[in-house]
Amino acid sequence: EPEVTQTPSHQVTQMGQEVILRCVPISNHLYFYWYRQILGQKVEFLVSFYNNEISEKSEIFDDQFSVERPDGSNFTLKIRSTKLEDSAMYFCASRPLSFTDTQYFGPGTRLTVL
Amino acid sequence: AQKITQTQPGMFVQEKEAVTLDCTYDTSDPSYGLFWYKQPSSGEMIFLIYQGSYDQQNATEGRYSLNFQKARKSANLVISASQLGDSAMYFCAMRGLEANNLFFGTGTRLTVIP
């Protein structure tokens, strides 16, 4: 069964450094998402991406964040200058076109900012 | 705006018994979808079940069923014949017609007791 994959599974970085989190969505899906989950809290929406552009973003997704689909398979989240409060689990998700379609999540990348 | 409320931070159930996890929601969208995800201690988000707001019947997927009461704006998850592997966090989420992303509740931690 196709699945969303994410790399790395765990990333440790120093405050102020740039990080890139990578995702490979399910191949026939058209909508891509990034969510984050701070330890012990609920999952929060960051950004959605469709037709090679951002379709929606939350207040969390400020100028420090960017997303890109550099080729036909990868979907990346970049944090330009990490802060301590960026430490969280970051989930990539994807879904097909229909409104009723389920979003399938990747296994997540745990980002630790020191 | 969408709002999801899960009022049970933790629940315990005896193995082989059924358990109901509560979820209420609020939205002004005329059409919406409701989802339940399971998050085991390993951290991944596993899709369990989906209910559309115009679906006439309650959704079922194996041991999972969704008790959808539209007038009360509730979408409770029922797990029958609980197994030790059901111990996890369970998140209720919704997506409105206008929004492309999922809004999550705060989750319920289910512990299955042998």
Side-chain angles (χ1 to χ4, degrees), chain A residues 31 33 35 37 41-45 48-50 55-56 89 91 95 98-107, chain B residues 4 31-33 35 37 39 42-45 47 50 91 95-107:
Chain A
Y31 280 94
Y33 305 83
Y35 292 83
Q37 184 183 31
Q41 298 186 22
K42 67 178 179 181
V43 179
E44 300 173 292
F45 167 71
S48 61
F49 194 86
Y50 172 71
S55 57
E56 286 177 74
M89 181 77 96
F91 291 102
R95 72 170 174 93
S98 169
F99 168 75
T100 60
D101 288 327
T102 298
Q103 290 183 27
Y104 291 93
F105 282 71
Chain B
I4 291 281
S31 180
Y32 47 89
F35 302 79
Y37 287 85
Q39 187 177 43
S42 50
E44 70 267 34
M45 296 287 287
F47 165 71
Y50 166 81
F91 290 96
R95 185 174 73 231
L97 182 63
E98 298 299 324
N100 190 18
N101 54 283
L102 292 174
F103 290 86
F104 283 84
T106 51

Coordinates of all heavy atoms in Angstrom, one line a residue, chain A residues 31 33 35 37 41-45 48-50 55-56 89 91 95 98-107, chain B residues 4 31-33 35 37 39 42-45 47 50 91 95-107:
Chain A
Y31 N -2.9 17.2 -3.2 CA -2.7 18.2 -2.1 C -1.7 17.7 -1.2 O -1.7 16.5 -0.8 CB -4.1 18.4 -1.4 CG -5.1 19.3 -2.1 CD1 -6.0 18.7 -2.9 CD2 -5.1 20.6 -1.8 CE1 -7.0 19.5 -3.5 CE2 -6.0 21.4 -2.5 CZ -7.0 20.9 -3.3 OH -7.9 21.7 -3.9
Y33 N 0.5 18.8 2.5 CA 0.4 19.6 3.8 C 1.6 19.4 4.7 O 2.3 18.3 4.6 CB -0.8 19.1 4.6 CG -2.1 19.1 3.8 CD1 -2.5 18.0 3.0 CD2 -3.0 20.1 4.0 CE1 -3.7 18.0 2.3 CE2 -4.2 20.1 3.3 CZ -4.5 19.1 2.5 OH -5.7 19.1 1.8
Y35 N 2.1 19.8 8.9 CA 1.5 20.0 10.2 C 2.7 19.9 11.2 O 3.7 19.3 11.0 CB 0.5 19.0 10.6 CG -0.8 19.0 9.8 CD1 -0.9 18.4 8.5 CD2 -1.9 19.7 10.3 CE1 -2.1 18.4 7.8 CE2 -3.1 19.7 9.5 CZ -3.2 19.1 8.3 OH -4.3 19.1 7.6
Q37 N 3.4 19.2 15.6 CA 2.9 18.8 16.9 C 4.0 19.0 18.0 O 5.0 18.3 18.0 CB 2.4 17.4 16.9 CG 1.8 16.9 18.2 CD 1.4 15.5 18.2 OE1 2.0 14.6 17.6 NE2 0.3 15.1 18.9
Q41 N 1.1 18.2 22.8 CA 0.0 19.1 22.4 C -0.7 18.5 21.1 O -0.3 17.5 20.6 CB 0.6 20.5 22.1 CG 1.2 21.1 23.4 CD 1.6 22.5 23.1 OE1 1.1 23.2 22.2 NE2 2.5 23.0 24.0
K42 N -1.7 19.3 20.6 CA -2.4 18.8 19.5 C -1.7 19.1 18.2 O -0.7 19.9 18.2 CB -3.8 19.4 19.4 CG -3.8 20.9 19.2 CD -5.3 21.4 19.2 CE -5.4 22.9 18.9 NZ -6.8 23.3 18.9
V43 N -2.1 18.5 17.1 CA -1.5 18.7 15.8 C -2.0 20.0 15.2 O -3.3 20.3 15.3 CB -1.9 17.5 14.9 CG1 -1.3 17.7 13.5 CG2 -1.4 16.2 15.5
E44 N -1.1 20.8 14.7 CA -1.5 22.1 14.2 C -1.1 22.3 12.7 O 0.0 21.9 12.3 CB -0.7 23.2 15.0 CG -1.0 23.3 16.4 CD -0.1 24.3 17.1 OE1 1.1 24.1 17.2 OE2 -0.6 25.3 17.6
F45 N -2.0 22.8 12.0 CA -1.8 23.0 10.5 C -0.8 24.1 10.3 O -0.8 25.2 10.9 CB -3.1 23.4 9.9 CG -3.0 23.9 8.5 CD1 -2.7 23.1 7.4 CD2 -3.3 25.3 8.2 CE1 -2.6 23.6 6.1 CE2 -3.2 25.8 6.9 CZ -2.9 24.9 5.9
S48 N -0.7 24.3 3.3 CA -1.1 23.4 2.2 C -0.6 23.9 0.9 O -0.4 25.1 0.7 CB -2.7 23.2 2.2 OG -3.3 24.5 2.0
F49 N -0.5 22.9 0.0 CA 0.2 23.2 -1.3 C -0.5 22.4 -2.4 O -0.8 21.2 -2.2 CB 1.6 22.7 -1.2 CG 2.6 23.1 -2.2 CD1 3.2 24.3 -2.1 CD2 2.8 22.3 -3.3 CE1 4.1 24.7 -3.1 CE2 3.8 22.7 -4.3 CZ 4.4 23.9 -4.2
Y50 N -0.9 23.1 -3.4 CA -1.6 22.5 -4.5 C -1.3 23.2 -5.8 O -1.1 24.4 -5.9 CB -3.2 22.7 -4.3 CG -4.0 22.2 -5.5 CD1 -4.1 20.9 -5.8 CD2 -4.7 23.2 -6.2 CE1 -4.9 20.5 -6.9 CE2 -5.5 22.8 -7.3 CZ -5.6 21.5 -7.6 OH -6.3 21.1 -8.7
S55 N -1.7 27.0 -1.1 CA -3.1 27.3 -1.2 C -3.6 27.9 0.1 O -4.5 28.7 0.1 CB -3.9 26.0 -1.5 OG -3.7 25.0 -0.6
E56 N -3.1 27.5 1.3 CA -3.5 28.1 2.5 C -2.3 28.0 3.5 O -1.5 27.1 3.4 CB -4.6 27.3 3.2 CG -6.0 27.6 2.6 CD -7.0 26.7 3.2 OE1 -7.4 27.0 4.3 OE2 -7.5 25.7 2.6
M89 N 7.4 17.7 16.4 CA 7.2 16.7 15.4 C 6.6 17.4 14.2 O 5.6 18.0 14.4 CB 6.4 15.5 15.9 CG 6.2 14.4 14.9 SD 7.7 13.4 14.8 CE 7.3 12.1 15.9
F91 N 4.8 16.8 10.6 CA 4.2 15.8 9.8 C 3.9 16.3 8.4 O 3.4 17.4 8.2 CB 2.8 15.3 10.4 CG 3.0 14.5 11.7 CD1 2.7 15.1 12.9 CD2 3.3 13.2 11.6 CE1 2.8 14.4 14.1 CE2 3.4 12.4 12.8 CZ 3.1 13.1 14.0
R95 N -3.2 14.1 0.1 CA -4.5 13.5 -0.3 C -4.8 13.7 -1.8 O -4.3 14.6 -2.4 CB -5.7 14.2 0.5 CG -6.0 15.6 0.2 CD -7.3 16.0 0.9 NE -7.6 17.4 0.7 CZ -8.5 17.9 -0.2 NH1 -9.0 17.0 -1.1 NH2 -8.7 19.1 -0.3
S98 N -10.5 15.0 -4.3 CA -11.8 15.1 -3.8 C -11.9 15.6 -2.4 O -11.0 15.3 -1.5 CB -12.6 13.8 -3.9 OG -13.8 13.8 -3.2
F99 N -12.9 16.4 -2.1 CA -13.1 17.0 -0.7 C -13.2 15.9 0.3 O -12.8 16.0 1.5 CB -14.3 17.8 -0.7 CG -14.8 18.2 0.7 CD1 -14.1 19.2 1.4 CD2 -15.9 17.6 1.3 CE1 -14.5 19.5 2.7 CE2 -16.3 18.0 2.5 CZ -15.6 18.9 3.2
T100 N -13.8 14.8 0.0 CA -14.1 13.7 0.9 C -12.8 12.8 1.2 O -12.8 12.0 2.0 CB -15.2 12.8 0.5 OG1 -14.9 12.2 -0.8 CG2 -16.5 13.6 0.4
D101 N -11.8 13.1 0.4 CA -10.6 12.2 0.5 C -9.9 12.4 1.8 O -9.7 13.6 2.3 CB -9.7 12.4 -0.7 CG -10.3 11.8 -2.0 OD1 -11.0 10.8 -1.9 OD2 -10.0 12.4 -3.0
T102 N -9.4 11.3 2.3 CA -8.6 11.4 3.6 C -7.2 11.9 3.3 O -6.6 11.7 2.3 CB -8.6 9.9 4.1 OG1 -9.9 9.5 4.4 CG2 -7.7 9.9 5.4
Q103 N -6.7 12.6 4.3 CA -5.3 13.0 4.3 C -4.5 11.8 5.0 O -4.9 11.4 6.1 CB -5.1 14.3 5.1 CG -5.6 15.5 4.4 CD -5.4 16.8 5.2 OE1 -4.4 16.9 5.9 NE2 -6.2 17.8 5.0
Y104 N -3.5 11.4 4.3 CA -2.6 10.4 4.9 C -1.3 11.0 5.3 O -0.7 11.8 4.6 CB -2.4 9.3 3.8 CG -3.6 8.5 3.5 CD1 -4.4 8.8 2.5 CD2 -3.9 7.4 4.3 CE1 -5.6 8.1 2.3 CE2 -5.1 6.7 4.1 CZ -5.9 7.0 3.1 OH -7.1 6.3 2.8
F105 N -0.9 10.7 6.5 CA 0.2 11.3 7.2 C 1.5 10.4 7.0 O 1.4 9.2 7.1 CB -0.1 11.5 8.7 CG -1.0 12.7 8.9 CD1 -2.3 12.7 8.6 CD2 -0.4 13.9 9.5 CE1 -3.1 13.8 8.9 CE2 -1.2 15.0 9.8 CZ -2.6 14.9 9.4
G106 N 2.6 11.1 6.9 CA 3.9 10.4 7.0 C 4.2 10.1 8.5 O 3.5 10.5 9.4
P107 N 5.3 9.4 8.7 CA 5.7 9.0 10.1 C 6.2 10.2 10.9 O 6.4 10.0 12.1 CB 6.8 8.0 9.8 CG 7.4 8.4 8.5 CD 6.3 8.9 7.7
Chain B
I4 N -12.9 21.8 17.4 CA -13.0 20.4 17.8 C -12.7 20.3 19.3 O -11.7 20.9 19.8 CB -12.0 19.5 17.1 CG1 -12.4 19.4 15.6 CG2 -11.9 18.2 17.7 CD1 -13.5 18.5 15.3
S31 N -21.1 21.9 4.8 CA -20.6 20.5 4.5 C -19.2 20.4 5.1 O -18.4 21.3 5.0 CB -20.6 20.3 2.9 OG -20.1 19.1 2.6
Y32 N -19.0 19.2 5.7 CA -17.7 19.1 6.4 C -17.5 17.6 6.5 O -18.3 16.7 6.3 CB -17.7 19.7 7.7 CG -18.9 19.5 8.6 CD1 -19.0 18.4 9.4 CD2 -20.0 20.3 8.5 CE1 -20.1 18.1 10.2 CE2 -21.2 20.0 9.3 CZ -21.2 18.9 10.1 OH -22.3 18.7 10.9
G33 N -16.2 17.3 6.8 CA -15.8 15.9 7.1 C -15.2 15.7 8.5 O -14.6 16.7 8.9
F35 N -12.9 13.1 11.0 CA -11.9 12.1 10.9 C -11.4 11.7 12.3 O -11.4 12.5 13.2 CB -10.7 12.6 10.2 CG -10.9 13.1 8.8 CD1 -11.5 14.4 8.5 CD2 -10.6 12.3 7.7 CE1 -11.7 14.8 7.3 CE2 -10.8 12.8 6.4 CZ -11.4 14.0 6.2
Y37 N -8.0 9.9 14.0 CA -6.6 9.3 13.8 C -6.1 8.7 15.1 O -6.4 9.2 16.2 CB -5.6 10.4 13.4 CG -5.8 10.9 12.0 CD1 -6.8 11.9 11.7 CD2 -5.1 10.4 10.9 CE1 -7.0 12.3 10.4 CE2 -5.2 10.9 9.6 CZ -6.2 11.8 9.4 OH -6.3 12.3 8.1
Q39 N -2.6 7.8 17.3 CA -1.2 8.1 17.4 C -0.6 7.2 18.5 O -0.7 7.5 19.7 CB -0.9 9.5 17.7 CG 0.6 9.9 17.6 CD 0.8 11.4 17.8 OE1 0.2 12.0 18.7 NE2 1.7 12.0 17.1
S42 N 4.9 5.5 19.2 CA 6.0 5.6 18.1 C 5.8 7.0 17.4 O 6.7 7.4 16.7 CB 6.0 4.5 17.2 OG 4.6 4.2 16.7
G43 N 4.6 7.6 17.5 CA 4.4 8.9 17.0 C 3.7 9.1 15.7 O 3.3 10.2 15.4
E44 N 3.6 8.1 14.9 CA 2.9 8.3 13.6 C 1.4 8.5 13.7 O 0.8 8.2 14.7 CB 3.2 7.1 12.6 CG 2.5 5.8 13.0 CD 3.3 4.9 13.8 OE1 4.1 5.4 14.7 OE2 3.2 3.7 13.7
M45 N 0.8 9.1 12.7 CA -0.6 9.4 12.7 C -1.3 8.4 11.8 O -1.0 8.4 10.6 CB -0.9 10.8 12.3 CG -0.3 11.9 13.2 SD -1.3 12.0 14.7 CE -2.8 12.8 14.1
F47 N -4.7 7.0 10.1 CA -6.1 7.2 9.8 C -6.9 6.0 10.2 O -6.6 4.9 9.9 CB -6.3 7.5 8.3 CG -7.7 7.5 7.9 CD1 -8.6 8.5 8.2 CD2 -8.2 6.4 7.1 CE1 -9.9 8.4 7.8 CE2 -9.5 6.4 6.7 CZ -10.3 7.4 7.0
Y50 N -13.6 7.9 8.6 CA -14.1 9.2 8.1 C -15.6 9.2 8.1 O -16.3 8.2 7.7 CB -13.6 9.4 6.7 CG -14.3 10.5 5.9 CD1 -13.9 11.8 6.1 CD2 -15.3 10.2 5.0 CE1 -14.6 12.8 5.4 CE2 -15.9 11.2 4.3 CZ -15.6 12.5 4.5 OH -16.2 13.5 3.9
F91 N -7.0 11.2 18.1 CA -7.4 12.6 17.8 C -8.6 12.6 16.8 O -8.6 11.9 15.8 CB -6.2 13.3 17.1 CG -5.0 13.5 18.0 CD1 -4.0 12.7 18.0 CD2 -5.0 14.7 18.7 CE1 -2.9 12.9 18.8 CE2 -3.9 15.0 19.6 CZ -2.9 14.1 19.6
R95 N -12.6 18.8 8.7 CA -12.3 19.7 7.6 C -13.6 20.3 7.1 O -14.5 19.5 6.8 CB -11.5 19.0 6.5 CG -11.1 19.9 5.4 CD -10.2 19.1 4.4 NE -11.0 18.3 3.5 CZ -10.7 17.0 3.3 NH1 -9.6 16.4 3.9 NH2 -11.4 16.3 2.5
G96 N -13.6 21.6 7.0 CA -14.8 22.3 6.5 C -14.8 22.4 5.0 O -13.8 22.1 4.3
L97 N -15.9 22.9 4.4 CA -16.0 23.0 3.0 C -15.0 24.0 2.5 O -14.4 23.9 1.4 CB -17.4 23.4 2.6 CG -17.7 23.5 1.1 CD1 -17.5 22.2 0.4 CD2 -19.1 24.0 0.9
E98 N -14.8 25.1 3.2 CA -14.0 26.2 2.7 C -12.5 25.9 3.1 O -11.6 26.4 2.3 CB -14.4 27.5 3.4 CG -15.8 27.9 3.0 CD -16.0 28.2 1.6 OE1 -15.0 28.7 0.9 OE2 -17.1 27.8 1.0
A99 N -12.3 25.3 4.2 CA -10.9 25.0 4.6 C -10.3 23.8 3.9 O -11.1 22.8 3.7 CB -10.8 24.9 6.1
N100 N -9.1 23.8 3.6 CA -8.4 22.7 2.9 C -7.7 21.8 4.0 O -7.4 20.7 3.7 CB -7.4 23.2 1.9 CG -6.9 22.2 1.0 OD1 -7.5 21.1 0.9 ND2 -5.8 22.5 0.4
N101 N -7.5 22.3 5.2 CA -6.7 21.6 6.1 C -7.6 21.0 7.2 O -8.8 21.3 7.3 CB -5.7 22.5 6.8 CG -6.4 23.8 7.3 OD1 -6.8 24.7 6.6 ND2 -6.5 23.8 8.7
L102 N -7.0 20.2 8.0 CA -7.6 19.5 9.2 C -7.4 20.4 10.4 O -6.3 20.9 10.7 CB -7.1 18.1 9.4 CG -7.4 17.1 8.3 CD1 -6.6 15.8 8.7 CD2 -8.9 16.8 8.2
F103 N -8.5 20.5 11.2 CA -8.4 21.0 12.6 C -8.5 19.9 13.6 O -9.5 19.1 13.5 CB -9.6 22.0 12.8 CG -9.4 23.3 12.0 CD1 -9.9 23.3 10.7 CD2 -8.8 24.4 12.5 CE1 -9.8 24.5 9.9 CE2 -8.7 25.6 11.8 CZ -9.2 25.6 10.5
F104 N -7.6 19.8 14.5 CA -7.5 18.7 15.4 C -8.0 19.1 16.8 O -7.8 20.2 17.3 CB -6.1 18.2 15.5 CG -5.6 17.4 14.4 CD1 -5.2 17.9 13.2 CD2 -5.7 16.0 14.4 CE1 -4.8 17.2 12.1 CE2 -5.3 15.2 13.3 CZ -4.8 15.8 12.2
G105 N -8.5 18.1 17.5 CA -8.8 18.2 18.9 C -7.5 18.0 19.7 O -6.5 17.7 19.1
T106 N -7.6 18.1 21.0 CA -6.5 17.9 21.9 C -6.1 16.4 22.2 O -5.1 16.2 22.8 CB -6.7 18.6 23.2 OG1 -8.0 18.2 23.8 CG2 -6.7 20.1 23.0
G107 N -7.0 15.6 21.8 CA -6.7 14.1 21.9 C -7.2 13.5 23.2 O -7.4 14.2 24.2

